[in-house]
Amino acid sequence: MPEFGPEELRALDRAHVWHPYGPMPGRSDPLVVESASGVRLRLAEEVHGQRELVDGMSSWWSAVHGYNHPVLNEAATAQLGRMSHVMFGGLTHEPAVRLAARLVEITPEPLRHVFLCDSGSVSVEVAVKMCLQYWRSLGRPAKQRLLTWRGGYHGDTWQPMSVCDPEGGMHELWQGVLPRQLFAEAPPADYEESYARGLRDLIARHADELAAVIVEPVVQGAGGMRFHSPEYLRVLRQACDEHGVLLVFDEIATGFGRTGTLFAAGHADVAPDVMCLGKALTGGYLTMAATLCSSKVAEGISRGEVPVLAHGPTFMGNPLAAAVACASIDLLLGQDWQREVRRLETGLRDGLAEAADLPGVKDVRVLGGIGVVQLDHDVDMAAATAAAVREGVWLRPFRDLVYTMPPYVTDDEDLARVCRAVGAAAAAG
Ligand SMILES: *Cc1c(COP(=O)(O)O)cnc(C)c1O
């Protein structure tokens, strides 16, 4: 029997528990989830006539196989019976080694070495540390700034915050306190030679102080759900090579098939020097991320005055998370996942087309398993969320965006329902 009823839970939650981007004490009433299975969240009580909600968010884009999946459950319980965790300093184990080898196998060719971290933000911290240390080791310590384009999101810890969009984003408060990075304008959706030229110029002009360019390839997620031409990745790769700057792709949101290719870099056939993975890495089961780098970067670091990467989280390489990540990758690659993502893409295009005619809708866009309705005003979160719940769907709009990134296992009927809910939320918000 549960110890607390939903009412009690909410009171304690409000008084004591921080939520993402939340005030304290809390002001909104989060829905209480009792369990989750397949694509459905089961609530502890009925809300707007619904006890179960189809999850249109994949738990922040991570639960690509849905919840309570027998294969992932089996991987977790089998590993639990062996060990849930051991320290990674001086010890190693099969789940972590297997995962690292698998990631090297499925990511672009030059990426050979894997640093396992406990969250996406930490993997970006590690990526930045790798790049800065690489140049320091080569006797170029002045190369310590980062370049990115506006509209990005790379996480909530310090270095990642410094490359998030500095305006209107979530970290505006810290302008002047964060390391000052270089920003290009946000990338246009289609290829524009003048924009590409601007990127090249910026990299050329600041090459002496630039350690790396860091971007989300093809899709900018939490910074605004914007898509851009993959051609820009080629421009970045070429300019970085020409001017001696490292290139980092943050594929935390785009990795593992979400945009229709296994990694978004695949749309342009471009390989970065450093790549961050997270979110769907464990199929949404446990917190784990990874920073991959090329041998050039690893060897550079190893030639330095301090020839080690001084980073080692307590829960580095967590065996439970690694075992589930291996199972999740096998599950994904063991099926025709491209067909499933294409099916989602078609369903989202069909299902969201009508939303374009709603008053207050500025743009509707779809790529792979991502469907976005952009409004011409900031969404009324409470009204939009309630409208989606009435349709039996969980959505979490932000700023002027109502969007969905459903689990790949969402069937056509549930997908149509998700699309109706996106429309209802856009109309209500
Ligand atoms: C979510 C996200 C992060 C941060 O990952 P956390 O696990 O939340 O720390 C970084 N970069 C991108 C592109 C993301 O979508």
Side-chain angles (χ1 to χ4, degrees), residues 381-396:
M381 273 276 274
T385 307
V389 168
R390 272 186 217 102
E391 296 286 338
V393 174
W394 173 241
L395 296 176
R396 183 80 177 156

mmCIF file of all heavy atoms in Angstrom, residues 381-396:
data_model
loop_
_atom_site.group_PDB
_atom_site.id
_atom_site.type_symbol
_atom_site.label_atom_id
_atom_site.label_comp_id
_atom_site.label_asym_id
_atom_site.label_seq_id
_atom_site.Cartn_x
_atom_site.Cartn_y
_atom_site.Cartn_z
ATOM 1 N N MET A 381 1.064 27.754 -19.980
ATOM 2 C CA MET A 381 1.438 26.380 -19.625
ATOM 3 C C MET A 381 0.290 25.588 -19.000
ATOM 4 O O MET A 381 0.027 24.460 -19.378
ATOM 5 C CB MET A 381 2.605 26.419 -18.627
ATOM 6 C CG MET A 381 3.931 26.474 -19.294
ATOM 7 S SD MET A 381 4.432 24.819 -19.710
ATOM 8 C CE MET A 381 5.204 24.351 -18.167
ATOM 9 N N ALA A 382 -0.379 26.220 -18.007
ATOM 10 C CA ALA A 382 -1.422 25.498 -17.274
ATOM 11 C C ALA A 382 -2.555 25.112 -18.227
ATOM 12 O O ALA A 382 -3.008 23.955 -18.240
ATOM 13 C CB ALA A 382 -1.938 26.349 -16.124
ATOM 14 N N ALA A 383 -2.988 26.070 -19.059
ATOM 15 C CA ALA A 383 -4.110 25.810 -19.959
ATOM 16 C C ALA A 383 -3.727 24.782 -21.022
ATOM 17 O O ALA A 383 -4.509 23.871 -21.340
ATOM 18 C CB ALA A 383 -4.552 27.113 -20.623
ATOM 19 N N ALA A 384 -2.503 24.897 -21.556
ATOM 20 C CA ALA A 384 -2.064 23.986 -22.618
ATOM 21 C C ALA A 384 -1.900 22.561 -22.081
ATOM 22 O O ALA A 384 -2.327 21.589 -22.709
ATOM 23 C CB ALA A 384 -0.748 24.479 -23.217
ATOM 24 N N THR A 385 -1.284 22.443 -20.908
ATOM 25 C CA THR A 385 -1.087 21.119 -20.317
ATOM 26 C C THR A 385 -2.431 20.456 -20.014
ATOM 27 O O THR A 385 -2.639 19.275 -20.301
ATOM 28 C CB THR A 385 -0.247 21.235 -19.025
ATOM 29 O OG1 THR A 385 0.943 21.957 -19.318
ATOM 30 C CG2 THR A 385 0.126 19.870 -18.499
ATOM 31 N N ALA A 386 -3.360 21.257 -19.456
ATOM 32 C CA ALA A 386 -4.677 20.715 -19.123
ATOM 33 C C ALA A 386 -5.404 20.248 -20.383
ATOM 34 O O ALA A 386 -6.048 19.187 -20.386
ATOM 35 C CB ALA A 386 -5.505 21.763 -18.381
ATOM 36 N N ALA A 387 -5.275 21.021 -21.468
ATOM 37 C CA ALA A 387 -5.940 20.639 -22.721
ATOM 38 C C ALA A 387 -5.392 19.312 -23.230
ATOM 39 O O ALA A 387 -6.147 18.463 -23.727
ATOM 40 C CB ALA A 387 -5.744 21.740 -23.766
ATOM 41 N N ALA A 388 -4.086 19.108 -23.113
ATOM 42 C CA ALA A 388 -3.482 17.843 -23.546
ATOM 43 C C ALA A 388 -3.940 16.695 -22.655
ATOM 44 O O ALA A 388 -4.271 15.602 -23.143
ATOM 45 C CB ALA A 388 -1.955 17.959 -23.537
ATOM 46 N N VAL A 389 -3.996 16.944 -21.355
ATOM 47 C CA VAL A 389 -4.427 15.890 -20.412
ATOM 48 C C VAL A 389 -5.869 15.478 -20.728
ATOM 49 O O VAL A 389 -6.203 14.289 -20.712
ATOM 50 C CB VAL A 389 -4.273 16.358 -18.943
ATOM 51 C CG1 VAL A 389 -4.980 15.395 -17.984
ATOM 52 C CG2 VAL A 389 -2.789 16.487 -18.577
ATOM 53 N N ARG A 390 -6.708 16.437 -21.047
ATOM 54 C CA ARG A 390 -8.088 16.090 -21.411
ATOM 55 C C ARG A 390 -8.125 15.149 -22.615
ATOM 56 O O ARG A 390 -9.010 14.316 -22.728
ATOM 57 C CB ARG A 390 -8.899 17.362 -21.719
ATOM 58 C CG ARG A 390 -9.536 17.931 -20.482
ATOM 59 C CD ARG A 390 -10.454 19.111 -20.789
ATOM 60 N NE ARG A 390 -10.301 20.060 -19.706
ATOM 61 C CZ ARG A 390 -9.576 21.178 -19.779
ATOM 62 N NH1 ARG A 390 -9.011 21.526 -20.919
ATOM 63 N NH2 ARG A 390 -9.448 21.956 -18.727
ATOM 64 N N GLU A 391 -7.144 15.261 -23.498
ATOM 65 C CA GLU A 391 -7.055 14.339 -24.650
ATOM 66 C C GLU A 391 -6.354 13.040 -24.270
ATOM 67 O O GLU A 391 -6.128 12.173 -25.114
ATOM 68 C CB GLU A 391 -6.270 14.997 -25.796
ATOM 69 C CG GLU A 391 -6.908 16.235 -26.392
ATOM 70 C CD GLU A 391 -8.116 15.914 -27.270
ATOM 71 O OE1 GLU A 391 -8.222 14.765 -27.756
ATOM 72 O OE2 GLU A 391 -8.956 16.820 -27.440
ATOM 73 N N GLY A 392 -5.925 12.940 -23.009
ATOM 74 C CA GLY A 392 -5.261 11.716 -22.551
ATOM 75 C C GLY A 392 -3.788 11.655 -22.909
ATOM 76 O O GLY A 392 -3.223 10.579 -23.120
ATOM 77 N N VAL A 393 -3.142 12.820 -22.962
ATOM 78 C CA VAL A 393 -1.743 12.877 -23.403
ATOM 79 C C VAL A 393 -0.933 13.784 -22.479
ATOM 80 O O VAL A 393 -1.426 14.823 -22.022
ATOM 81 C CB VAL A 393 -1.656 13.405 -24.858
ATOM 82 C CG1 VAL A 393 -0.204 13.618 -25.298
ATOM 83 C CG2 VAL A 393 -2.358 12.432 -25.818
ATOM 84 N N TRP A 394 0.316 13.388 -22.233
ATOM 85 C CA TRP A 394 1.219 14.217 -21.448
ATOM 86 C C TRP A 394 2.138 15.011 -22.367
ATOM 87 O O TRP A 394 2.867 14.436 -23.181
ATOM 88 C CB TRP A 394 2.068 13.351 -20.511
ATOM 89 C CG TRP A 394 3.133 14.130 -19.792
ATOM 90 C CD1 TRP A 394 4.473 13.944 -19.879
ATOM 91 C CD2 TRP A 394 2.936 15.220 -18.874
ATOM 92 N NE1 TRP A 394 5.132 14.858 -19.084
ATOM 93 C CE2 TRP A 394 4.212 15.654 -18.458
ATOM 94 C CE3 TRP A 394 1.809 15.893 -18.382
ATOM 95 C CZ2 TRP A 394 4.401 16.714 -17.568
ATOM 96 C CZ3 TRP A 394 1.991 16.952 -17.487
ATOM 97 C CH2 TRP A 394 3.270 17.336 -17.088
ATOM 98 N N LEU A 395 2.047 16.339 -22.256
ATOM 99 C CA LEU A 395 2.939 17.232 -22.994
ATOM 100 C C LEU A 395 3.505 18.252 -22.015
ATOM 101 O O LEU A 395 2.901 18.546 -20.993
ATOM 102 C CB LEU A 395 2.176 17.973 -24.101
ATOM 103 C CG LEU A 395 1.573 17.153 -25.233
ATOM 104 C CD1 LEU A 395 0.786 18.081 -26.170
ATOM 105 C CD2 LEU A 395 2.633 16.398 -26.014
ATOM 106 N N ARG A 396 4.641 18.790 -22.336
ATOM 107 C CA ARG A 396 5.262 19.811 -21.482
ATOM 108 C C ARG A 396 5.760 20.940 -22.388
ATOM 109 O O ARG A 396 6.933 20.960 -22.787
ATOM 110 C CB ARG A 396 6.410 19.174 -20.706
ATOM 111 C CG ARG A 396 7.099 20.083 -19.733
ATOM 112 C CD ARG A 396 6.335 20.221 -18.452
ATOM 113 N NE ARG A 396 7.040 21.051 -17.494
ATOM 114 C CZ ARG A 396 6.459 21.718 -16.509
ATOM 115 N NH1 ARG A 396 5.141 21.653 -16.352
ATOM 116 N NH2 ARG A 396 7.160 22.426 -15.671
#
